[in-house]
Amino acid sequence: MSNQNAEVVSVRIIPNTEGKPPGKLADAEVIFEAEAGPLSGMKLVGFAIWERRSGSGRNVTFPARQYSLNGDRRSFALLRPKNGDVSAQEAVRDLILEAFSAREAQPD
């Protein structure tokens, strides 16, 4: 995601080296890089990259808070599209998966 060739956000990948829980590949942070604005210098944490249970592909979970309602555990998404259009979430998911793929391609 960029604005006039200046990076607006970057993604930091933190590999899951312990392998716990099973299937979790890494955590990710979205860092706001813009020079000005209220989010400048902030980061949004709580993203995780998982191997799909079917074994084909990867999934990204978004930051959420769990709560209980009448004994049922529920989840409240902390990052949501403002108008209900899920394509905004897809753009963030794709950005995180691209950063993970780039990190994987780097030699250790």
Side-chain angles (χ1 to χ4, degrees):
M1 296 182 162
S2 63
N3 184 12
Q4 299 174 355
N5 296 329
E7 289 297 318
V8 175
V9 297
S10 63
V11 176
R12 179 174 175 232
I13 301 295
I14 302 105
N16 181 13
T17 56
E18 296 177 14
K20 295 180 184 176
K24 184 177 181 185
L25 302 172
D27 289 304
E29 303 172 343
V30 174
I31 301 165
F32 298 93
E33 302 285 358
E35 293 291 324
L39 295 177
S40 179
M42 303 292 287
K43 64 183 176 180
L44 181 60
V45 300
F47 297 94
I49 303 158
W50 299 82
E51 190 71 41
R52 289 191 191 272
R53 290 183 183 171
S54 65
S56 59
R58 297 180 171 132
N59 187 38
V60 176
T61 55
F62 282 61
R65 172 146 311 173
Q66 289 187 344
Y67 66 97
S68 231
L69 182 65
N70 299 325
D72 292 331
R73 289 185 73 160
R74 297 184 180 201
S75 184
F76 178 81
L78 298 175
L79 183 65
R80 295 174 281 171
K82 69 179 181 178
N83 59 2
D85 180 14
V86 294
S87 65
Q89 283 184 319
E90 291 299 321
V92 174
R93 180 174 281 112
D94 291 345
L95 180 71
I96 291 170
L97 289 174
E98 286 172 20
F100 181 75
S101 293
R103 173 69 170 86
E104 257 187 333
Q106 293 176 349
D108 288 332

